[in-house]
């Protein structure tokens, strides 16, 4: 149910789940949450709400009890300029989107971690430091097949040197740096004592 508010306000959504406004959207979110967690007992889902920093963005927030993380999708490289007759053009923009980051931090009263769920261009380390925007994670969108949406391979979006600097920096934790016991919390996996053991079936001769 991402990017629900779209262009802002109650009528800016470009997806069906936001077309009827913030109240209906929150009802859909809560219905989905309750169905999956309470009806089906799925308690290993991370609920990430995707928002913006419009004046109305808080109206779209489902509530702390239904959300684990908050996130933002940054596509700042597409510009609409007068010199291009207001047609879309692509320019490098490696901002850390600090104002949006802090808007989302404050929207949840600093109770949730804030991620950059999608982006066209990652921030540089220096911009993250300058803008004090410590995103939980960032996810550059994939190559779409043409220069204006080849987010990884087109240097207008992401320069090789910037990607290398980021991925090898202390700021960025890569897969090989994660603890080996990340999913066990340092102990043996917990077994559900109420689960019914399945009988062992020996293969036939």
């Amino acid at each position: 149910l991402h990017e629900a508010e779209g262009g802002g306000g109650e009528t800016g959504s470009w997806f069906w789940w936001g077309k009827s406004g913030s109240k209906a959207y929150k009802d859909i979110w809560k219905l989905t949450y309750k169905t999956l967690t309470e009806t089906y007992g799925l308690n290993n889902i991370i609920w990430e709400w995707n928002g913006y920093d419009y004046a109305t963005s808080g109206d779209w927030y489902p509530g702390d009890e239904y959300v684990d993380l908050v996130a933002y999708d940054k596509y700042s490289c597409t510009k609409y300029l007068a010199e291009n007759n207001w047609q879309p053009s692509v320019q490098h923009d490696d901002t850390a989107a600090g104002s949006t980051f802090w808007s989302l931090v404050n929207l949840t009263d600093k109770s949730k971690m804030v991620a950059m769920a999608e982006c066209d261009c990652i921030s540089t380390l220096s911009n993250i430091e300058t803008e004090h925007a410590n995103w939980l994670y960032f996810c550059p969108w994939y190559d779409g097949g043409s220069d204006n949406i080849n987010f990884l391979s087109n240097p207008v979006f992401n320069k090789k040197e910037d990607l290398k600097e980021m991925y090898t920096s202390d700021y960025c934790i890569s897969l090989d740096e994660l603890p080996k016991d990340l999913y066990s919390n340092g102990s043996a996996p917990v077994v559900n004592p109420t689960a019914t053991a399945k009988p062992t079936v020996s293969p036939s001769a």
Side-chain angles (χ1 to χ4, degrees), residues 8 12 48 52 54 74 79 94 96 115-117 120 128-129 162 168 178 182-183 187:
E48 181 178 273
Y52 297 91
Y54 299 119
K74 180 187 86 73
K79 311 291 185 182
D94 54 22
M116 188 177 287
D120 50 4
I128 284 176
E129 184 175 291
D162 290 341
T168 58
L178 291 175
L182 177 66
Y183 296 106
S187 60

Side-chain angles (χ1 to χ4, degrees), residues 97-140:
S99 62
T100 300
F101 174 84
W102 284 104
S103 175
L104 292 172
V105 167
N106 293 325
L107 186 147
T108 63
D109 197 24
K110 303 179 181 179
S111 66
K112 305 292 180 182
M113 292 183 285
V114 183
M116 188 177 287
E118 294 178 20
C119 63
D120 50 4
C121 175
I122 69 166
S123 173
T124 59
L125 282 170
S126 60
N127 283 345
I128 284 176
E129 184 175 291
T130 299
E131 299 180 45
H132 305 288
N134 294 310
W135 299 94
L136 172 65
Y137 72 83
F138 55 88
C139 180

Side-chain angles (χ1 to χ4, degrees), residues 6 37 53 58 76 89 96 99 108 111 149 154 166 171 174 185 187 202 205:
T37 59
D53 61 350
S76 58
S89 58
S99 62
T108 63
S111 66
I149 51 174
N154 186 348
M166 177 62 76
Y171 175 83
S174 54
N185 198 23
S187 60
S202 299

Side-chain angles (χ1 to χ4, degrees), residues 183-184 187-191:
Y183 296 106
S184 65
S187 60
V190 176
V191 178

Side-chain angles (χ1 to χ4, degrees), residues 42-96:
L42 302 175
N43 296 306
N44 61 345
I45 298 172
I46 297 174
W47 294 88
E48 181 178 273
W49 175 74
N50 194 226
Y52 297 91
D53 61 350
Y54 299 119
T56 52
S57 293
D59 297 336
W60 292 78
Y61 184 58
D64 288 348
E65 64 269 40
Y66 301 106
V67 174
D68 296 312
L69 308 174
V70 296
Y72 170 64
D73 290 355
K74 180 187 86 73
Y75 289 92
S76 58
C77 294
T78 301
K79 311 291 185 182
Y80 295 85
L81 306 173
E83 56 265 33
N84 196 36
N85 295 318
W86 304 109
Q87 296 303 304
S89 58
V90 177
Q91 296 181 6
H92 186 72
D93 185 353
D94 54 22
T95 175

